[in-house]
Amino acid sequence: MNAQNLIPYLTDFLATELEKTGADAFVVGVSGGLDSAVVSALCALTEIPTRALIMPMPSSNLANLGDAIEHCDMFGIDYEIQEIAPFMEAFASLDTGADKLRIGNFATRVRMGLLYDYSAKHRAVVVGTTNLSERMLGYSTIYGDLACAFNPIGEILKTKVSKLAEALTINENIIAKTPSADLWENQSDERELGYSYDILDSVLRDIFSRPELREKIRGGKEITKDDLAYLLDSNHNADLCKFITNRMIKNSFKLRMPNVAQVDPNA
């Protein structure tokens, strides 16, 4: 399905899923980045009330804040700005030795906690903004940015999200910027991953096109070496395939619901 045709499909998905919850509105964490811009624009196009919470870090790029505000104004989205500096300062005072990863994960979970509280206040539901590339690679925080009621872009690779953004006429500043969660100064998704999304998606597209693997990913089932063994015989770069295979196996638990011990045989 091309990007233009995806828009009515995804807006219908959003409206249908919201109706199931009995809530009245959507809430999206808008960062000034691509994924949240696309999701919030799709929500706004349903003509259902859409709210945004903008939650900058103390180290956040001010350009992202400006882009987030301009985006909300462009799509008629009500927004509030919630600084998370007090939460980060409290965390830093409890553990002065926390590394960037722990600080970033904490910030992501604080943001999601605020979003869920905001959703309760406004009788809204939290809409997810994690794309398929991030989900498959585990480049996301469990109970952080992965948390949501439903997600319209969870089966769309990052490179295709860009095409969708163009079809939605998202601000070019947002489309062109380097992908970043903006969790610390000059943070870059692609630099952390070691590959561009263009390169990563060339392999991920192949993986997701295989029905058995697609259903495993959709069902949150464990991904094994056997599932991805074919990559070793593929035309893709061997180091890249090894990197993707290792990440998918290591992080597939993030997409699974927690197991519950079955103590009653009749349950």
Side-chain angles (χ1 to χ4, degrees):
M1 191 180 299
N2 65 37
Q4 196 64 53
N5 291 338
L6 265 176
I7 294 172
Y9 173 81
L10 293 175
T11 53
D12 182 65
F13 165 84
L14 286 164
T16 300
E17 292 303 309
L18 180 68
E19 186 177 9
K20 292 175 185 177
T21 70
D24 301 325
F26 302 112
V27 60
V28 183
V30 173
S31 65
L34 182 72
D35 298 321
S36 65
V38 165
V39 170
S40 56
L42 288 168
C43 290
L45 288 176
T46 65
E47 300 185 359
I48 294 168
T50 299
R51 297 177 177 272
L53 203 55
I54 303 171
M55 299 167 283
M57 285 275 286
S59 59
S60 290
N61 186 334
L62 287 178
N64 290 333
L65 176 60
D67 287 339
I69 293 171
E70 184 177 347
H71 170 77
C72 289
D73 288 340
M74 178 178 174
F75 283 90
I77 298 168
D78 290 334
Y79 68 87
E80 290 185 26
I81 299 172
Q82 172 68 71
E83 298 280 352
I84 64 171
F87 302 96
M88 303 312 298
E89 289 164 4
F91 180 68
S93 71
L94 292 172
D95 188 344
T96 58
D99 60 20
K100 283 184 177 180
L101 180 61
R102 287 177 56 201
I103 292 169
N105 282 335
F106 181 78
T108 303
R109 292 183 177 119
V110 165
R111 285 170 170 166
M112 191 52 66
L114 290 170
L115 276 169
Y116 269 91
D117 178 67
Y118 193 77
S119 75
K121 179 180 178 181
H122 293 285
R123 193 173 162 77
V125 293
V126 176
V127 185
T129 61
T130 306
N131 62 63
L132 180 59
S133 305
E134 293 168 335
R135 292 178 67 240
M136 289 176 73
L137 293 169
Y139 191 65
S140 49
T141 301
I142 193 167
Y143 305 120
D145 52 330
L146 279 175
C148 62
F150 40 81
N151 182 344
I153 65 167
E155 285 199 0
I156 304 177
L157 293 166
K158 181 72 172 185
T159 47
K160 192 163 185 179
V161 175
S162 295
K163 299 295 184 186
L164 187 54
E166 292 172 1
L168 288 162
T169 64
I170 300 292
N171 188 312
E172 183 58 34
N173 287 343
I174 293 175
I175 296 174
K177 71 175 57 175
T178 301
S180 171
D182 204 19
L183 293 171
W184 54 81
E185 192 173 352
N186 297 321
Q187 188 259 338
S188 163
D189 294 356
E190 292 176 323
R191 187 162 56 243
E192 278 191 71
L193 289 167
Y195 297 94
S196 71
Y197 277 113
D198 282 337
I199 293 172
L200 291 165
D201 283 1
S202 68
V203 181
L204 295 174
R205 189 177 297 107
D206 182 15
I207 294 172
F208 198 69
S209 68
R210 294 175 174 251
E212 69 282 3
L213 274 172
R214 183 169 60 247
E215 293 313 308
K216 274 201 164 188
I217 293 164
R218 283 175 170 169
K221 296 179 180 177
E222 182 181 4
I223 305 297
T224 68
K225 287 184 178 180
D226 288 343
D227 292 325
L228 299 167
Y230 77 93
L231 284 177
L232 299 177
D233 300 320
S234 71
N235 294 323
H236 298 297
N237 176 276
D239 289 339
L240 173 62
C241 290
K242 184 177 180 180
F243 170 79
I244 288 175
T245 298
N246 289 342
R247 283 202 67 111
M248 287 187 67
I249 293 170
K250 179 182 177 182
N251 291 293
S252 65
F253 78 95
K254 292 183 179 182
L255 302 181
R256 298 198 296 270
M257 292 294 291
N259 283 334
V260 176
Q262 301 297 303
V263 296
D264 184 346
N266 297 315

